[in-house]
Amino acid sequence: MIHNLSTGKSILNKYLYEMRSVDKQRDSMRFRINMERMGEIMAYEISKHLNYQPATVETPLGEANVELPSDNIVLASILRAGLPLHQGFLRIFDDVENGFISAYRSHNKDGSFDIKLEYITCPNIDGKVLILLDPMLATGASIHKTLEHMEDYGIPSQLHVVSVIASSQGVKHVQRFFPTAEIWTGAIDEELTAKSYIVPGLGDAGDLCFGIKLQE
Ligand code: URA
């Protein structure tokens, strides 16, 4: 199931516009804040798909009936660009468990790349709702490798894969290899460059958040 949030009209479209804009994205603080705001909106949308159970709350004047989320959630992000998106999610889901994965592209001479996964810190995810954040879903290779590694941590009851921008190739990849995943994205772009950057995309999300790194 794909949820492309820019197919509807909402303020999310403005945040995404600013993140894509070659002028506005130069302001790295605004870029990170927009990424956080996308995270807040996406978390809220995902919250509508969780399980709830009835509860009562005592107010100064009596008791009210409420429906409270009952799932255990694990929020996992691929470093480094996932950090501001993660922060946005945490403002909505404030008491979840968290995982972090360092996955990066190691480029070969022929222009292809392998995904190197060097570090993962993650709680048990068995029977929990796993929300995996990777701001740019380009080929799907990072998500794929990450999810393979996370099999050691248990089998989640629900899997949500979240990106700010996805390519249609990346979406198809996730759908093919992880058919139960719910895919949440701010937009779906059609093309990838020869180096697997999304077109029109927004550029390098990690660099835009945190500055240019020394080597690829
Ligand atoms: N990662 C990015 O930061 N941008 C892309 O377009 C693809 C992967």
Side-chain angles (χ1 to χ4, degrees):
M1 178 84 181
I2 305 180
H3 308 268
N4 178 355
L5 298 182
S6 58
T7 53
K9 289 183 182 150
S10 83
I11 193 67
L12 175 138
N13 292 356
K14 179 163 184 282
Y15 305 151
L16 197 51
Y17 157 80
E18 290 188 357
M19 293 175 80
R20 285 186 190 270
S21 160
V22 73
D23 295 322
K24 299 220 181 276
Q25 66 173 206
R26 280 197 205 107
D27 178 349
S28 61
M29 188 166 89
R30 177 167 285 272
F31 188 86
R32 288 192 303 272
I33 287 173
N34 279 330
M35 185 88 92
E36 290 176 21
R37 298 201 279 196
M38 298 278 295
E40 289 170 13
I41 292 171
M42 288 174 149
Y44 174 68
E45 291 298 328
I46 291 176
S47 79
K48 298 176 190 171
H49 291 246
L50 298 176
N51 293 302
Y52 288 77
Q53 63 188 24
T56 53
V57 59
E58 199 179 323
T59 80
L61 301 176
E63 272 192 349
N65 296 323
V66 290
E67 291 280 336
L68 292 179
S70 55
D71 295 300
N72 292 314
I73 297 174
V74 175
L75 191 58
S77 286
I78 298 184
L79 300 172
R80 62 188 164 142
L83 287 175
L85 196 59
H86 197 107
Q87 187 56 40
F89 265 80
L90 275 182
R91 272 205 286 273
I92 305 305
F93 297 131
D94 42 48
D95 51 6
V96 298
E97 294 178 280
N98 296 273
F100 296 97
I101 305 101
S102 113
Y104 67 93
R105 293 173 173 184
S106 172
H107 291 275
N108 304 314
K109 287 206 175 99
D110 62 2
S112 66
F113 63 83
D114 303 310
I115 300 295
K116 298 269 191 231
L117 202 152
E118 285 184 348
Y119 173 76
I120 178 162
T121 174
C122 189
N124 186 308
I125 57 174
D126 214 35
K128 300 176 185 172
V129 172
L130 175 61
I131 305 178
L132 179 58
L133 311 181
D134 187 5
M136 304 297 280
L137 172 55
T139 63
S142 308
I143 293 278
H144 193 145
K145 188 125 190 176
T146 300
L147 285 172
E148 274 177 356
H149 271 73
M150 290 183 98
E151 282 169 11
D152 295 344
Y153 294 79
I155 300 168
S157 61
Q158 283 182 28
L159 169 61
H160 300 271
V161 171
V162 178
S163 63
V164 166
I165 300 179
S167 75
S168 18
Q169 184 183 320
V171 166
K172 282 192 196 123
H173 187 102
V174 174
Q175 284 180 313
R176 179 167 167 221
F177 290 97
F178 305 97
T180 59
E182 302 256 346
I183 302 173
W184 300 83
T185 187
I188 300 178
D189 290 359
E190 286 309 313
E191 282 181 55
L192 289 179
T193 65
K195 289 194 161 177
S196 298
Y197 274 79
I198 301 175
V199 181
L202 49 73
D204 189 305
D207 287 359
L208 288 162
C209 287
F210 301 116
I212 293 168
K213 53 198 173 299
L214 199 53
Q215 90 288 351
E216 282 285 283

